[in-house]
Amino acid sequence: MREILGRRRRLLSRRNDGRPEMLSAALTFATQWQWPVLPGVAPDPQGRARCGCPDPECTVPGAHPFDPGLLAATTDERMARWWWTNRPTAPIILATGGNAPCAVSLPAPAAARALAALDLKEMRLGPVIASPTRWALLVKPYSLEQLGELLYAKDFVPGSLRFHGEGGYVALPPSETGQGGIRWERAPLPGSAAPWVPDVEAVVDAVVEALTRTGVSAPEL
């Protein structure tokens, strides 16, 4: 009986448009790394630049939760398996904050320059997520109070920086969204343990310094 059920699951995976890697990735995030995830809303099949949600002017098509909502994010294997077995091409959304990583994001061209500057300083970074328009540096969980104190102490913070903390989210690889594919610019090291991520203070200090030094504040995108 177990063999029959196992074969049925494999057949379902292949039949669901050949995207078993989405299910595998979602299970890695949820069960191995204990990152709460949920499926994002798919892009509109009538036009990938549009979102499948009711907002006709959605600015992040396919890269956000809708049904279910963000509060449904979970590390439960059965729930993740059910979601991506039934919605095999759904983007994988990480609910940031709590015990999960948070993120600092900025426009892709500025992020590429910032990372190059940080590499010259030999600063250790955690995983970096890249979309066609923005890159997100994963950091340890932080509170709003902690972030507020950090930003208050700065003379200047580029307006292009965004902070994905408690109640926020980011799309994870290998999701496909209306703006294009999500990939790892800096991939996590192989292994079963959750990836190491730096403190938010170190990342914000380094990114602000890199952007200020290179004269790249970047547009607000």
Side-chain angles (χ1 to χ4, degrees):
M1 185 65 177
R2 288 181 182 175
E3 184 179 347
I4 293 172
L5 287 174
R7 187 182 302 120
R8 183 168 178 260
R9 286 189 183 123
R10 288 194 295 273
L11 288 172
L12 277 172
S13 236
R14 283 198 291 269
R15 192 166 68 226
N16 282 332
D17 205 22
R19 297 284 325 256
E21 73 273 18
M22 295 298 292
L23 172 59
S24 177
L27 290 176
T28 295
F29 299 140
T31 64
Q32 293 186 26
W33 297 358
Q34 291 295 292
W35 289 3
V37 296
L38 75 162
V41 60
D44 189 332
Q46 301 302 317
R48 289 194 59 83
R50 299 198 305 268
C51 190
C53 75
D55 183 0
E57 299 181 359
C58 179
T59 57
V60 285
H64 67 91
F66 173 65
D67 182 18
L70 187 62
L71 292 178
T74 183
T75 60
D76 182 74
E77 177 182 358
R78 291 173 299 177
M79 195 72 244
R81 189 179 295 278
W82 187 85
W83 275 331
W84 276 277
T85 296
N86 288 278
R87 298 167 61 179
T89 61
I92 302 171
I93 304 297
L94 166 67
T96 54
N99 294 322
C102 294
V104 178
S105 72
L106 62 163
R113 295 185 182 95
L115 260 63
L118 299 183
D119 286 342
L120 290 175
K121 295 178 61 177
E122 298 184 345
M123 177 180 171
R124 184 185 182 191
L125 293 173
V128 178
I129 302 167
S131 76
T133 57
R134 295 186 72 85
W135 292 7
L137 289 71
L138 296 185
V139 298
K140 291 180 181 177
Y142 58 77
S143 66
L144 286 177
E145 292 77 12
Q146 182 182 3
L147 180 63
E149 291 176 2
L150 174 61
L151 299 182
Y152 183 77
K154 297 287 181 192
D155 294 327
F156 169 74
V157 177
S160 57
L161 287 182
R162 292 181 187 165
F163 300 92
H164 309 258
E166 186 76 31
Y169 58 87
V170 292
L172 293 170
S175 300
E176 288 288 335
T177 72
Q179 295 176 328
I182 307 295
R183 61 179 176 83
W184 294 115
E185 174 63 25
R186 300 287 172 88
L189 294 176
S192 58
W196 177 88
V197 291
D199 291 326
V200 66
E201 291 90 348
V203 167
V204 171
D205 288 347
V207 168
V208 169
E209 180 183 353
L211 294 181
T212 303
R213 180 178 298 175
T214 57
V216 180
S217 60
E220 300 220 16
L221 293 175

